[in-house]
Amino acid sequence: MISSSSYSFRFLSTARPVVDSRQSLYIKSQIAERGLSDLEYKVNKILQTPTIPSEELVQLSLENCEACARSIAQAKKASDPPLKVDGSPASTLLSLEERQEDPRPLFSMDAKLAPCLKDKFAKQISKIAYNIMTDPKVFITSAMLGSYVRTQSLLGFPETIPQVFVLYASKPTPRAHGTTIRYMSPNPNKASSAIPLVTVHAALSVAIEARDLPVCFDIINTSVGTSAFRRSKFIRRALLPLTAFALSPIAAYALASQMSLYQITMDQSTSTNITFAGITAYIMFTGIIGMVAVTTANDQMDRITWAPGTPLRERWLREEERAMVDRVAQAWGFQNRLKRGEEEGRDWETLREWVGLRSMELDRVELMEGME
């Protein structure tokens, strides 16, 4: 016969690991919450100073937010079933960012914590990072913007990214003037206000993953759809070739003058003029053909193409905008090419109308597979 004490002993021996496990998770959640509270206290202390906070302190605070966000993202991935990852450049970029070692780990998020706690911590970190970027005394640099986008990408909250993109270009610049701070209004259309393309790809990736079509539109409008981005592209990629093209007649005349010295069939001035005309015509015709070939190339286009009548200059300047819209269309439409053109629904009609207002076409019939 088994005594009641033996039953009690067996019950306690089996129940102790459960209690220990719950206590361990509770302790870890308290440690994580304490770490976030400490981060929030430090950030508020930096932002509440009457002077302009240093760029290093602000950048360090954003990196701490990014480290916390990476810890939460890893905990969520550990508790979720493995998902198939696409091979797009943006997905590869995000995966490389997630593999980086955390220089300042504030806490380690346990994968066994309740999803509500993970969401609570994620919202708290997102709010801390947002408060940093929207503080009037903080001057937003490209490094800060990239860190903020990576933080929100890891947390899965893309809603505030378009607003921060606008602040990056138009936020008043703080200037210390004695004991006071003066704010200078910047020019949002200058080339230095352009959002880096890598940052735009990362922001659009998280918006597509969240299936938030209006946020995708806002990200495109506030980044690659701005005048600042087009000016930056013109300066980076077109200014030097156009300058060389403008100076080519001078170089051609100098070359023609030297070549006229090595002939005896005609006088020197006639030879110079003929040679100059030939060199100039070759440069002009070759340049025009090359420009038309670059601006009319459509091999990179999938579902979004330019509407007929769109100027070639505008096509080249807005190619990144078209590529971003193409990514959105690919994500919202059928992956099977044979079913393309059969999509329907409110989001798809909204996308078609939004694309049409920007001199683009969605699924032009003559360019679809089997419709040549």
Side-chain angles (χ1 to χ4, degrees):
M1 183 175 180
I2 303 175
S3 62
S4 61
S5 61
S6 62
Y7 276 110
S8 177
F9 175 75
R10 290 182 181 179
F11 174 76
L12 292 175
S13 63
T14 56
R16 186 178 297 112
V18 178
V19 175
D20 292 343
S21 177
R22 291 179 179 177
Q23 289 180 349
S24 176
L25 290 177
Y26 176 76
I27 293 173
K28 289 181 179 179
S29 66
Q30 291 297 313
I31 294 175
E33 189 169 358
R34 190 176 302 171
L36 289 180
S37 299
D38 182 59
L39 174 61
E40 186 174 10
Y41 171 77
K42 292 181 179 179
V43 170
N44 291 334
K45 188 176 180 180
I46 294 174
L47 299 181
Q48 291 174 0
T49 56
T51 59
I52 300 176
S54 65
E55 181 179 335
E56 292 77 12
L57 287 177
V58 177
Q59 182 65 38
L60 181 60
S61 300
L62 288 172
E63 290 177 356
N64 287 334
C65 292
E66 183 181 350
C68 297
R70 182 172 293 111
S71 179
I72 293 179
Q74 292 173 353
K76 288 184 177 181
K77 283 188 176 182
S79 59
D80 294 338
L83 299 175
K84 182 179 179 181
V85 181
D86 60 347
S88 63
S91 299
T92 305
L93 173 66
L94 289 176
S95 63
L96 289 176
E97 292 290 346
E98 294 172 4
R99 292 173 191 170
Q100 291 180 353
E101 293 294 333
D102 183 10
R104 290 177 175 267
L106 297 181
F107 66 94
S108 178
M109 182 68 62
D110 197 297
K112 297 180 181 180
L113 289 178
C116 61
L117 284 178
K118 297 177 185 177
D119 294 339
K120 174 187 174 182
F121 294 150
K123 291 179 181 179
Q124 187 175 356
I125 295 172
S126 177
K127 183 179 179 180
I128 293 173
Y130 179 76
N131 291 338
I132 294 175
M133 301 298 283
T134 56
D135 189 89
K137 298 188 298 296
V138 173
F139 175 74
I140 303 176
T141 62
S142 58
M144 296 179 188
L145 183 65
S147 181
Y148 178 80
V149 171
R150 287 193 297 270
T151 300
Q152 301 295 354
S153 299
L154 291 168
L155 297 174
F157 297 144
E159 295 82 6
T160 60
I161 293 179
Q163 183 179 354
V164 174
F165 279 177
V166 174
L167 291 176
Y168 178 77
S170 59
K171 186 178 181 180
T173 305
R175 300 291 184 185
H177 186 75
T179 58
T180 61
I181 300 177
R182 292 184 177 180
Y183 296 93
M184 310 294 294
S185 298
N187 181 13
N189 296 324
K190 61 181 180 180
S192 59
S193 299
I195 309 294
L197 196 58
V198 176
T199 303
V200 180
H201 275 292
L204 188 61
S205 295
V206 66
I208 291 175
E209 185 178 353
R211 307 300 294 179
D212 197 331
L213 189 61
V215 173
C216 292
F217 292 160
D218 292 339
I219 288 175
I220 294 174
N221 285 333
T222 57
S223 56
V224 294
T226 60
S227 299
F229 185 86
R230 297 169 194 169
R231 290 184 179 182
S232 175
K233 181 179 180 180
F234 177 82
I235 292 174
R236 289 183 291 104
R237 300 178 57 182
L239 184 59
L240 182 60
L242 288 179
T243 303
F245 184 78
L247 296 177
S248 60
I250 300 176
Y253 187 83
L255 180 61
S257 301
Q258 294 297 322
M259 293 180 63
S260 64
L261 301 177
Y262 297 95
Q263 55 84 33
I264 56 175
T265 57
M266 62 186 73
D267 60 281
Q268 186 175 350
S269 61
T270 303
S271 175
T272 300
N273 294 334
I274 294 176
T275 305
F276 173 73
I279 295 176
T280 304
Y282 175 79
I283 294 175
M284 182 178 298
F285 293 147
T286 304
I288 292 175
I289 293 174
M291 182 188 67
V292 172
V294 170
T295 54
T296 58
N298 60 357
D299 295 337
Q300 76 282 7
M301 301 180 186
D302 188 16
R303 306 202 66 169
I304 302 296
T305 56
W306 294 110
T310 306
L312 298 181
R313 170 183 53 83
E314 186 176 348
R315 295 187 182 193
W316 181 79
L317 286 174
R318 298 177 57 198
E319 174 56 29
E320 286 76 12
E321 180 182 356
R322 186 214 59 80
M324 296 292 178
V325 181
D326 209 343
R327 284 189 57 193
V328 176
Q330 294 172 23
W332 256 260
F334 290 130
Q335 301 301 317
N336 189 352
R337 289 182 173 271
L338 298 179
K339 292 185 178 181
R340 289 187 174 181
E342 301 178 4
E343 294 89 350
E344 58 184 11
R346 180 180 299 178
D347 283 354
W348 192 254
E349 294 302 323
T350 302
L351 176 61
R352 186 184 299 276
E353 181 180 358
W354 189 83
V355 166
L357 294 175
R358 283 156 179 78
S359 302
M360 305 177 194
E361 285 190 9
L362 175 61
D363 290 339
R364 188 190 297 181
V365 177
E366 60 267 23
L367 297 180
M368 295 179 67
E369 189 171 353
M371 296 293 182
E372 293 85 355

